[in-house]
Amino acid sequence: MRFLTAGESHGPKLTVIIEGIPSNMKLSSDMINKEMFKRQGGYGRGRRMQIEKDTVVITSGVRHGITLGSPITIEVINDDHKHWLKIMGVEEGEEMTPDKRKITKPRPGHADLVGGMKYRHRDLRNVLERSSARETAARVAVGAVCKVLLESLGISVYSRVIEIGGARDNGEYTLDEIKKKNDINDVRCIDETVAQMMRDKIDEAKSNGDSIGGEVQVIADGVPVGLGSYVQYDRKLDGKIAQSVISINAFKAVGFGAGYDMKHLPGSKVQDPISYKEGSGYSRMTNNLGGFEGGMTNGMPIIVNAVMKPIPTLYKPLQSVDIDTKEVYQASIERSDSCAVPAASIVCEHAVAFELAKEILNEFQSNDLEQLKESIARHRQAILDY
């Protein structure tokens, strides 16, 4: 399975093409829109989220609510594009006049300056329109399709926020508690007391013209044993997930299970002891490794923790240099959020869902959904009998 996305932040639409989804799977725009709506929310979001509806239109690969096995095309219309018609015109002669929206002052922490250098653009809008986190709406649409597939196979993927701006939820919860309460509030934090602390941190950053980041957690339950492989570095599934997560805008660190804390612990406190029960098969007594051993899933829930840096667009901008005049200026300001960690947890969740679905479709015969279910069922029984 693979996908491509296209579209600019203020262009007419985002387009996604997904290839490899099995035939005969139920799929509708409503199923995708349910996940798209989650990305729209979250305390600390800016005005863009009030403008864009982020509802999708499926234009190929589905007939009468059933996938065909052919490429699926999904479009997300940008409602705000009508205000950018001259600025984002496609045809020659549609250039903006006057040049008031040309950007020559790169923003620290963004792709603006390096992208301008690489692609030889003198108007940095040509960079920021595509490097914008707006593209993650398309990735959530892909992940939403993948979640439909995974759920039909008995696999659940969900996420939560565990830290924003130093306010951290250190509570210990069961998988059922996390699954039921991950959308309990507008910061997606289970502990309501900590949730209010997070809101206070966001408000403080906003009042100071600043931004804050945080940490999110993605959990996948019901994943078959043995996805991924140890035989080559690029077949390790945890490596693939790590790359996918880090590719999300503003994500700078990723860990599995005990992750970052392992540097403080002895091996006896990190490795997961193995147990066996007749009828249930092998299991692990702990899950410090986050569901992976040797780059392969071991049957325990996959636990991914990822850190998002503060959004680099600030209303109290940092110093920059005009690429035309080389004079020192304050960086340009584009509309932005003071905190996007709750929404980023949704993006991360769907990035993980895509990698899991892709690995499953690579591992098992999967032209048709029932064929895939039968193949996985045989595999699960073979693992149980081992």
Side-chain angles (χ1 to χ4, degrees):
M1 181 174 64
R2 58 182 178 169
F3 76 90
L4 283 175
T5 72
E8 281 70 48
S9 180
H10 295 99
K13 61 185 176 182
L14 300 174
T15 302
V16 182
I17 298 178
I18 315 169
E19 182 183 11
I21 294 293
S23 64
N24 296 310
M25 183 183 85
K26 288 185 178 180
L27 184 66
S28 68
S29 297
D30 287 344
M31 291 176 176
I32 301 172
N33 287 335
K34 181 182 70 172
E35 301 299 315
M36 298 292 286
F37 178 76
K38 295 178 183 179
R39 177 189 169 277
Q40 287 286 96
Y43 198 79
R45 299 307 302 275
R47 195 167 65 88
R48 180 72 182 269
M49 295 303 103
Q50 299 169 17
I51 298 171
E52 301 293 1
K53 300 298 186 294
D54 277 7
T55 53
V56 306
V57 178
I58 300 173
T59 60
S60 75
V62 178
R63 183 169 182 243
H64 304 314
I66 301 295
T67 57
L68 304 177
S70 53
I72 297 171
T73 304
I74 299 171
E75 296 182 344
V76 185
I77 304 301
N78 284 341
D79 290 338
D80 197 29
H81 177 64
K82 58 181 176 286
H83 299 123
W84 295 75
L85 293 176
K86 289 186 176 179
I87 299 168
M88 296 301 296
V90 173
E91 300 299 334
E92 186 177 5
E94 292 182 344
E95 292 89 352
M96 54 187 176
T97 305
D99 230 11
K100 63 178 181 179
R101 298 307 290 268
K102 182 179 179 180
I103 294 177
T104 60
K105 304 178 184 68
R107 299 161 299 167
H110 278 277
D112 301 355
L113 180 57
V114 178
M117 291 174 171
K118 179 176 177 66
Y119 292 100
R120 300 297 191 265
H121 291 308
R122 301 308 303 181
D123 181 355
L124 300 181
R125 180 165 297 284
N126 293 336
V127 178
L128 66 87
E129 282 290 336
R130 179 59 183 172
S131 64
S132 165
R134 177 73 184 144
E135 188 265 350
T136 62
R139 294 183 68 177
V140 170
V142 173
V145 175
C146 293
K147 284 185 67 175
V148 173
L149 173 64
L150 293 173
E151 287 166 6
S152 71
L153 303 174
I155 301 168
S156 300
V157 185
Y158 40 100
S159 63
R160 66 183 178 119
V161 173
I162 55 179
E163 184 172 349
I164 292 179
R168 185 174 184 85
D169 184 355
N170 289 313
E172 295 184 5
Y173 309 102
T174 65
L175 291 180
D176 284 342
E177 286 176 322
I178 295 174
K179 188 174 182 179
K180 291 176 181 176
K181 297 182 178 181
N182 61 348
D183 287 318
I184 197 171
N185 52 47
D186 52 7
V187 288
R188 310 195 74 239
C189 173
I190 293 176
D191 188 316
E192 286 285 2
T193 300
V194 178
Q196 186 55 51
M197 293 169 60
M198 291 177 175
R199 295 187 195 98
D200 293 342
K201 292 283 188 180
I202 294 170
D203 290 342
E204 181 183 357
K206 185 176 182 179
S207 66
N208 292 331
D210 217 329
S211 62
I212 53 175
E215 185 176 348
V216 306
Q217 183 178 80
V218 178
I219 300 174
D221 193 24
V223 180
V225 173
L227 296 182
S229 177
Y230 61 88
V231 302
Q232 292 288 355
Y233 76 96
D234 59 347
R235 292 182 61 188
K236 295 186 176 185
L237 181 55
D238 50 358
K240 295 178 183 180
I241 290 175
Q243 192 279 330
S244 188
V245 169
I246 289 297
S247 73
I248 301 169
N249 300 55
F251 274 70
K252 286 297 181 183
V254 61
F256 295 86
Y260 324 125
D261 294 333
M262 290 184 190
K263 62 182 180 291
H264 303 302
L265 301 172
S268 59
K269 300 292 185 182
V270 170
Q271 316 309 330
D272 300 314
I274 299 172
S275 63
Y276 178 82
K277 183 178 180 181
E278 190 71 33
S280 301
Y282 296 95
S283 185
R284 306 300 184 278
M285 299 171 67
T286 57
N287 193 21
N288 295 317
L289 301 182
F292 284 99
E293 290 171 332
M296 302 171 290
T297 54
N298 62 13
M300 298 297 287
I302 293 175
I303 299 176
V304 183
N305 295 317
V307 173
M308 180 188 189
K309 71 176 181 180
I311 293 171
T313 298
L314 307 176
Y315 285 98
K316 185 175 63 178
L318 300 174
Q319 178 182 302
S320 183
V321 176
D322 191 301
I323 63 170
D324 286 345
T325 68
K326 305 302 187 285
E327 295 179 10
V328 173
Y329 282 94
Q330 298 301 302
S332 301
I333 299 175
E334 292 287 308
R335 185 173 53 222
S336 183
D337 310 325
S338 54
C339 179
V341 175
S345 69
I346 297 297
V347 180
C348 193
E349 171 185 324
H350 288 78
V352 172
F354 167 74
E355 292 299 335
L356 291 176
K358 179 181 178 182
E359 197 69 25
I360 285 172
L361 295 176
N362 287 340
E363 184 79 25
F364 301 102
Q365 197 169 9
S366 56
N367 294 316
D368 164 73
L369 182 59
E370 289 305 314
Q371 179 187 64
L372 175 60
K373 288 180 178 180
E374 292 168 2
S375 182
I376 290 179
R378 288 193 297 270
H379 172 78
R380 290 188 189 275
Q381 187 60 52
I383 294 296
L384 194 62
D385 294 340
Y386 180 80

